[in-house]
Amino acid sequence: AVQGREMIQVALAFFGLSALWMATGRNERARRWAPLVGLCGQPFWIAFAVQASAWGLLALSLAYSAVYVRGAWVQWGRR
């Protein structure tokens, strides 16, 4: 069974790769949802960074969170 750290790693891969795939595709609807999907993965990145005491990764995760929030604002806030 997948537990704890393994579940976090599965979530990291799922949300991160899904957001990248959606953001770089030709489907406008998928591109619109990409930052929200990426933002869903950020709590897992933050948890992973804290568990590993990887403070640089934590800072990077917070920066990515800000980029995803900005992307969501661009995609959803101006309609």
Side-chain angles (χ1 to χ4, degrees):
V2 178
Q3 296 176 343
R5 286 184 182 223
E6 293 85 9
M7 187 62 178
I8 289 174
Q9 291 178 30
V10 168
L12 293 177
F14 174 77
F15 286 113
L17 293 173
S18 295
L20 283 172
W21 183 264
M22 294 168 76
T24 59
R26 293 185 177 162
N27 184 317
E28 184 178 335
R29 187 171 184 221
R31 283 195 314 267
R32 187 173 188 212
W33 281 96
L36 295 178
V37 171
L39 197 55
C40 288
Q42 290 311 107
F44 298 102
W45 278 106
I46 292 167
F48 182 76
V50 170
Q51 285 179 359
S53 298
W55 308 119
L57 181 59
L58 178 61
L60 189 59
S61 298
L62 295 173
Y64 270 94
S65 296
V67 170
Y68 282 132
V69 167
R70 182 174 185 268
W73 176 256
V74 167
Q75 293 295 330
W76 294 87
R78 297 184 183 179
R79 297 203 180 240

